[in-house]
Amino acid sequence: MKKRWISFLVILGLTAGLAGCGTQSQAAGDTKKEDTQTAGDAKTEEVQTVRLGVMTGNSDHWVAEVGTEQGIFEKYGIELKVTEFAAGINTIDAIVTDQVDIGNLADYAAINRLGNTQDDTDLRLIANFSSSSTGKLYVNPKEVTSLTDLSGKGLVTLAGTVWDYWNAKTLEQAGIEGDQQVLVNVDSAQAALGVMTTGEGVAFWASGTNAKKLEEAGMEPLLTMDELGLRTDAYFITTEKYIEDNKELLTNYLKAFQETQDWVLEYQEEAAKIVEEKTGIPQDQFLENLKQEKLLMGFSQDTKEHLNEIKDWALKAGQFEKDFNLDDFVDTTLLENGGFM
């Protein structure tokens, strides 16, 4: 798919996650002895560190913060070390360079990375933890009033992430081809907000806090994911070796994550206070974000079909050179061990 690219190095608005990429933490699998009274009156003497890479402000981020605050991860013998990143795809780089043990990423980003490294990667998807189809395409109303107005104008993207997929499907829907496809490449959603307000970009897919900021800047929604027939699933990913060495630890991590999800849904107001304190997301915005996202823990047949649909599209679009079997890069044994499947 031919397109013109405009790249910007945008410093304003970068998340703390990029600077925090090198956060030091106890090595995976190292343990320390503690006599710890945990949530639910459970007790464990061995605490193991799990280094988690999250997308700033995403559900995995605030579940990690709430679960730590409530002692749920501690209950399962886990000391969670969290490092924030601008996009889920960045967590894969952190896994490969041994900066984190587990990362999160969206469906297209997973397929794109696996497709392009299929012959020399041991990355494995281990669980689908959320799903959403509530994103909207926000546009500058002075520049865009219909999809066809995007021809020759800047559609903002984060290269290699799910934004590439959303934008490609948007341009397909609009019937815009070749050199009239203009993608403005930025390195974070926060940077995208800056590009939109300066006029370098005229359209950006957003939800939650980012959508609210765009609305405050005068941008208006033009298209929804539902109208485009899209949904976005988020996954945990790690390596085959880490799974082999830490089966019980990872199973407990998934249990703790789901227990925290359940707690958040039951005690939404209290969770909102914790999230605001830990992440800066206003309580009302957190509660609105929570309505827009389905929290889950599993790897259903529907999930596999969803990923295979994206894979088939990406292969046809030339995103990678050859097909691959998705099952080769999915490991559900942890979910099975934890009673999720």
Side-chain angles (χ1 to χ4, degrees):
M1 183 168 52
K2 295 181 179 179
K3 52 181 77 70
R4 288 189 288 137
W5 289 81
I6 303 175
S7 297
F8 292 86
L9 180 60
V10 183
I11 298 176
L12 181 63
L14 285 176
T15 63
L18 291 178
C21 184
T23 300
Q24 297 296 313
S25 65
Q26 187 175 345
D30 286 355
T31 62
K32 61 181 182 180
K33 294 293 182 178
E34 292 182 354
D35 187 9
T36 307
Q37 188 69 33
T38 62
D41 295 327
K43 192 174 184 179
T44 183
E45 292 186 350
E46 185 178 277
V47 176
Q48 292 180 275
T49 297
V50 173
R51 302 173 300 169
L52 174 66
V54 302
M55 180 176 174
T56 299
N58 199 43
S59 63
D60 59 316
H61 184 192
W62 42 258
V63 168
E65 296 291 358
V66 172
T68 299
E69 179 71 15
Q70 288 300 304
I72 296 174
F73 286 100
E74 185 181 16
K75 169 184 171 181
Y76 286 90
I78 294 171
E79 180 184 12
L80 200 61
K81 297 289 189 182
V82 177
T83 302
E84 299 176 38
F85 295 91
I89 191 68
N90 303 130
T91 70
I92 292 186
D93 297 325
I95 289 171
V96 171
T97 56
D98 194 32
Q99 296 178 69
V100 302
D101 306 313
I102 309 173
N104 110 83
L105 75 172
D107 38 31
Y108 170 76
I111 291 299
N112 185 44
R113 178 58 68 94
L114 293 175
N116 281 288
T117 62
Q118 56 186 280
D119 293 329
D120 58 359
T121 185
D122 69 340
L123 291 168
R124 298 292 183 268
L125 298 172
I126 60 173
N128 170 208
F129 67 86
S130 74
S131 182
S132 175
S133 59
T134 56
K136 297 177 182 179
L137 180 66
Y138 281 85
V139 301
N140 182 337
K142 297 178 181 179
E143 298 285 340
V144 178
T145 58
S146 68
L147 282 182
T148 55
D149 290 337
L150 293 173
S151 180
K153 298 177 182 177
L155 187 56
V156 184
T157 193
L158 280 70
T161 73
V162 71
W163 270 275
D164 276 351
Y165 181 59
W166 296 337
N167 289 335
K169 300 299 284 187
T170 301
L171 293 168
E172 283 182 9
Q173 181 74 12
I176 299 172
E177 300 178 350
D179 288 344
Q180 293 307 300
Q181 297 181 355
V182 180
L183 298 177
V184 179
N185 186 28
V186 297
D187 49 18
S188 72
Q190 288 70 30
L193 301 179
V195 169
M196 286 287 289
T197 56
T198 62
E200 300 290 350
V202 299
F204 182 64
W205 280 97
S207 62
T209 303
N210 291 327
K212 185 174 182 179
K213 290 180 179 179
L214 285 169
E215 290 173 357
E216 291 171 350
M219 307 303 162
E220 298 179 358
L222 179 67
L223 183 69
T224 68
M225 284 192 179
D226 277 335
E227 291 170 341
L228 205 55
L230 295 178
R231 84 169 196 250
T232 300
D233 290 352
Y235 303 86
F236 285 126
I237 191 166
T238 185
T239 64
E240 184 178 31
K241 185 179 187 309
Y242 190 75
I243 295 170
E244 291 174 355
D245 294 343
N246 299 278
K247 286 187 173 66
E248 183 177 358
L249 177 62
L250 279 172
T251 299
N252 284 335
Y253 168 80
L254 296 180
K255 287 180 177 179
F257 197 90
Q258 187 192 45
E259 186 170 322
T260 305
Q261 289 177 320
D262 293 341
W263 190 92
V264 167
L265 293 173
E266 184 173 358
Y267 302 103
Q268 296 185 19
E269 297 292 338
E270 189 172 347
K273 294 177 183 178
I274 296 172
V275 171
E276 182 177 57
E277 178 184 350
K278 299 295 184 180
T279 72
I281 299 174
Q283 294 180 40
D284 59 344
Q285 186 60 55
F286 165 77
L287 293 171
E288 183 62 30
N289 293 353
L290 191 58
K291 292 178 183 177
Q292 297 178 2
E293 193 158 358
K294 180 181 179 182
L295 304 181
L296 49 90
M297 183 59 66
F299 218 108
S300 67
Q301 183 61 34
D302 177 62
T303 294
K304 289 186 178 182
E305 291 174 359
H306 173 68
L307 284 170
N308 275 312
E309 181 180 346
I310 294 174
K311 177 175 68 70
D312 293 343
W313 176 89
L315 179 63
K316 184 177 180 180
Q319 303 298 313
F320 39 86
E321 294 182 356
K322 62 180 181 178
D323 199 2
F324 63 92
N325 186 345
L326 177 65
D327 290 339
D328 292 340
F329 301 96
V330 174
D331 189 332
T332 60
T333 56
L334 303 170
L335 291 169
E336 294 163 3
N337 293 344
F340 297 104
M341 297 181 67

